[in-house]
Amino acid sequence: GQNIDQPTEMTATEGAIVQINCTYQTSGFNGLFWYQQHAGEAPTFLSYNVLDGLEEKGRFSSFLSRSKGYSYLLLKELQMKDSASYLCAVRDGDYKLSFGAGTTVTVRA
Amino acid sequence: DAEITQSPRHKITETGRQVTLACHQTWNHNNMFWYRQDLGHGLRLIHYSYGVQDTNKGEVSDGYSVSRSNTEDLPLTLESAASSQTSVYFCASSERDPSTDTQYFGPGTRLTVL
């Protein structure tokens, strides 16, 4: 089966930086996704990595190391609206997405 | 605007009843997926379809069925609802190539089985 691990909860202060780690062991690899999910809402796409390295999108960046089975999502200049759950998902060799349980980020004033 | 919708948004039913959750997308996406989301488990794949008349079982397919008669719709049926199927159900779609295209999610259906 697939195994995707990420921390359950993280708390940070408005304006700070938070890094959410994700480690994975899957049968095959065809890309890693990060989604944001506000309480009671649908997951929304944030970023996609298929090659090693850093992808930057405004305040959000995502990093991938395929050899280490590791990714992180970096949230900079935190805002209150960034309080949400962040889901790490890996597309496996059969092209199906497997999700981690999600990391709830709470931003405090 | 193109979108993906789910109905109903909330549903309460009784054990043993048949329930159908609707998913409709207007993006003309080839691929559609059903997931359930439970605390501590993340999103788990129930069924998926890579085109009209194509359906496949996911990780947690027991007790569920789908059919794909057109591009826009992938209804999910619970043949005989069980309390263990109380969950939030999300439909998703992706454009064409399952190996490269991003999945986009509908708003979800909260199902309670009493």
Side-chain angles (χ1 to χ4, degrees):
Chain A
Q2 322 293 24
N3 192 28
I4 300 169
D5 289 319
Q6 50 181 130
T8 304
E9 294 179 335
M10 301 184 76
T11 301
T13 306
E14 202 173 10
I17 298 173
V18 70
Q19 178 175 314
I20 306 169
N21 296 324
C22 173
T23 59
Y24 64 89
Q25 289 178 303
T26 57
S27 50
F29 178 83
N30 282 291
L32 187 142
F33 295 81
W34 285 95
Y35 286 84
Q36 180 190 59
Q37 186 177 26
H38 285 101
E41 297 184 8
T44 56
F45 170 71
L46 282 180
S47 69
Y48 171 63
N49 295 69
V50 65
L51 299 176
D52 291 351
L54 188 68
E55 293 282 342
E56 296 189 84
K57 252 191 197 182
R59 294 188 299 114
F60 293 0
S61 304
S62 56
F63 172 83
L64 175 67
S65 168
R66 289 173 296 169
S67 62
K68 295 181 179 176
Y70 168 70
S71 173
Y72 67 73
L73 179 68
L74 196 68
L75 314 180
K76 293 176 273 191
E77 301 169 17
L78 277 173
Q79 302 176 9
M80 299 301 288
K81 67 178 181 180
D82 297 330
S83 291
S85 185
Y86 292 85
L87 314 179
C88 174
V90 175
R91 181 156 51 200
D92 64 20
D94 292 329
Y95 310 133
K96 298 193 295 294
L97 280 186
S98 294
F99 285 82
T103 299
T104 300
V105 171
T106 302
V107 181
R108 291 185 177 165
Chain B
D1 285 346
E3 60 179 354
I4 182 166
T5 58
Q6 294 183 233
S7 61
R9 296 294 312 279
H10 301 269
K11 174 81 176 174
I12 299 175
T13 191
E14 295 176 342
T15 302
R17 291 195 182 258
Q18 184 181 79
V19 176
T20 296
L21 309 182
C23 175
H24 179 81
Q25 52 94 6
T26 57
W27 285 314
N28 199 35
H29 282 179
N30 213 43
N31 311 319
M32 296 183 74
F33 309 83
W34 273 105
Y35 295 87
R36 60 177 289 174
Q37 186 174 39
D38 306 286
L39 274 174
H41 284 279
L43 285 153
R44 290 182 290 174
L45 184 64
I46 304 171
H47 282 285
Y48 59 102
S49 167
Y50 288 154
V52 176
Q53 302 301 333
D54 176 72
T55 61
N56 306 281
K57 293 181 179 181
E59 177 190 359
V60 290
S61 61
D62 287 349
Y64 303 94
S65 64
V66 293
S67 61
R68 186 92 179 271
S69 59
N70 58 52
T71 301
E72 296 80 17
D73 300 289
L74 187 70
L76 177 72
T77 297
L78 287 67
E79 303 294 343
S80 177
S83 57
S84 60
Q85 294 176 308
T86 292
S87 186
V88 180
Y89 290 86
F90 287 100
C91 178
S93 70
S94 65
E95 187 172 0
R96 184 148 302 273
D97 188 341
S99 71
T100 59
D101 294 335
T102 298
Q103 291 184 26
Y104 296 94
F105 286 81
T109 294
R110 183 174 294 275
L111 177 68
T112 303
V113 182
L114 301 176

